[in-house]
Amino acid sequence: MIISMKAGASKEQINHVIEKIESYGYTAHPIYGDERVVIGAIGDGRMKDHIQSLESAPGVDSVMPILKPFKLVGRELKKERTCVRVSEDVEIDSAHFVVMAGPCSVESREQLMTTAHAVKSAGARILRGGAFKPRTSPYDFQGLEEEGLKLLAEAREATGLKVVTEVLSDANVSLVADYADILQVGARNMQNFALLKKLGKCDKPVLLKRGMSSTIKEFLLSAEYIVSQGNPNVILCERGIRTFESYTRNTLDLSAVPLLNELSHLPVIIDPSHATGKRSLVIPMAKASVAAGADGLLIEVHPNPEEAFSDGPQSLLPEEFDELMRVVRQYVALENREM
Ligand code: PEP
Ligand code: MN
């Protein structure tokens, strides 16, 4: 339910409504807008009539049901777009277009440092790199684990870039959060509900990738798992879905971007590397991402893709990443946005 307070409602009136909501066994999610306060009351529906009766409480303007299944990440409750603040100087939202780039896997200090310096000088703000790798085959490289996290932290020190890296299980959330600025949930884990709940209790932003066979509704409900546990800082990432097409690794669902922007207030980024699986398609799809209204990109870059431990065929060389940034900067300016 959405309880809209009147413009100018007092702190006492707001607190009274929050206390009432909680006394009915619901959780209260106040959103402090420029003009008025809106309070989301989330519960299982049994005390719906009690919540409805708050309409007559002092300072309350209206009480309305939230019709969509995703309550907190949807736009019914919160109209203003969410800005995910990664640090003092890195924000991801509709005003700030952010590029995250780096290797698929952290392989060695030399590989990571070379890539980090290259993407930094091209204008990326965030370094990506997997330390825990979700691989289809158990015989493939599984990542350097904590040693990889340490290298990422070292690269952050050396370059000033922020770090995003994947967390594979709820058991590793606090370890990864000790090193990373953003915790990535991979496509294969989008519905790992224990992991999502744990991330909801974490104070770091979460980059949530769309599952390879997930609908938009399932994707937003996974984001809802995180936000409903108390962490509002979720970035949605479209990374392609599985279709019958086999020339590409996945099929980039570009329409997911404007659709997610209609349905949700969370920032949306695109990963054209995993979406296509082909180096030659990454720049065209990066351009299309900006035009579709994405708030950022996640790009794989490797100094020597032929020898990459994972995802070489879709990784850009540093000079190709330079070109991507040059082109994307023009598109971002065309959309009147900052980068
Ligand atoms: C990755 O970002 O390296 C990755 C494994 O991506 P996805 O979960 O989208 O397959
Ligand atoms: Mn990869």
Side-chain angles (χ1 to χ4, degrees):
M1 306 284 276
I2 306 171
I3 294 111
S4 300
M5 303 300 294
K6 290 183 176 142
S10 70
K11 217 183 231 164
E12 289 71 36
Q13 291 171 334
I14 295 165
N15 287 341
H16 172 73
V17 171
I18 292 175
E19 277 163 27
K20 279 287 180 193
I21 292 171
E22 287 170 351
S23 75
Y24 300 141
Y26 278 53
T27 39
H29 297 265
I31 294 164
Y32 297 87
D34 289 341
E35 276 182 20
R36 57 171 73 214
V37 175
V38 171
I39 306 168
I42 310 296
D44 63 12
R46 273 175 289 182
M47 302 292 272
K48 206 167 85 229
D49 294 344
H50 288 70
I51 301 280
Q52 191 66 51
S53 70
L54 286 172
E55 208 149 31
S56 57
V60 172
D61 190 21
S62 65
V63 178
M64 307 267 272
I66 303 177
L67 302 173
K68 297 271 187 336
F70 33 88
K71 310 291 178 193
L72 298 172
V73 307
R75 285 208 120 158
E76 286 171 275
L77 179 62
K78 184 169 184 269
K79 304 268 183 283
E80 304 91 52
R81 301 203 59 78
T82 290
C83 170
V84 172
R85 193 161 285 115
V86 181
S87 64
E88 288 276 296
D89 59 340
V90 182
E91 295 179 325
I92 306 172
D93 64 7
S94 41
H96 305 86
F97 190 91
V98 170
V99 179
M100 314 179 184
C104 178
S105 304
V106 177
E107 299 169 5
S108 66
R109 174 176 285 113
E110 199 199 339
Q111 172 247 18
L112 187 65
M113 291 301 165
T114 307
T115 316
H117 285 292
V119 301
K120 160 90 183 182
S121 71
R125 307 296 303 278
I126 298 173
L127 175 66
R128 66 146 288 144
F132 291 91
K133 293 303 301 174
R135 304 306 301 279
T136 301
S137 164
Y139 307 116
D140 287 339
F141 176 61
Q142 303 286 309
L144 296 180
E145 304 190 341
E146 190 167 2
E147 190 196 332
L149 296 175
K150 288 185 175 152
L151 291 173
L152 285 164
E154 208 178 305
R156 171 175 49 213
E157 276 302 303
T159 59
L161 291 166
K162 300 295 158 197
V163 164
V164 58
T165 194
E166 181 160 351
V167 56
L168 279 186
S169 83
D170 53 321
N172 280 341
V173 167
S174 64
L175 173 71
V176 177
D178 280 345
Y179 293 94
D181 301 293
I182 304 175
L183 281 73
Q184 175 174 324
V185 177
R188 292 155 190 80
N189 257 331
M190 189 204 83
Q191 285 189 316
N192 179 338
F193 300 117
L195 174 62
L196 300 177
K197 284 185 189 170
K198 191 79 189 265
L199 289 166
K201 300 280 183 214
C202 169
D203 61 1
K204 295 271 166 86
V206 177
L207 173 65
L208 177 66
K209 292 189 130 193
R210 180 179 181 181
M212 53 187 93
S213 303
S214 297
T215 64
I216 294 290
K217 182 171 155 188
E218 288 163 340
F219 188 19
L220 288 173
L221 283 170
S222 288
E224 187 83 10
Y225 262 93
I226 301 168
V227 177
S228 63
Q229 296 292 314
N231 184 352
N233 295 308
V234 177
I235 305 152
L236 302 170
C237 179
E238 162 63 38
R239 45 78 73 204
I241 50 176
R242 205 165 250 195
T243 68
F244 50 80
E245 182 50 64
S246 58
Y247 270 108
T248 46
R249 182 175 177 180
N250 291 292
T251 296
L252 175 55
D253 180 7
L254 262 184
S255 67
V257 177
L259 179 58
L260 289 166
N261 282 336
E262 266 176 40
L263 295 171
S264 173
H265 50 81
L266 295 174
V268 181
I269 70 164
I270 286 195
D271 170 355
S273 306
H274 292 88
T276 63
K278 271 195 163 67
R279 185 174 305 127
S280 64
L281 303 181
V282 172
I283 292 181
M285 290 301 100
K287 294 197 269 189
S289 304
V290 183
D295 302 314
L297 291 166
L298 184 68
I299 307 285
E300 286 188 342
V301 179
H302 196 287
N304 187 2
E306 290 79 63
E307 285 177 19
F309 292 1
S310 56
D311 290 350
Q314 69 197 32
S315 298
L316 299 187
L317 283 158
E319 51 270 34
E320 292 167 327
F321 182 67
D322 273 341
E323 173 63 8
L324 177 143
M325 291 298 281
R326 193 186 64 74
V327 178
V328 163
R329 215 171 267 119
Q330 294 175 341
Y331 276 71
V332 168
L334 203 63
E335 295 282 331
N336 291 318
R337 303 175 67 168
E338 271 181 42
M339 188 162 148

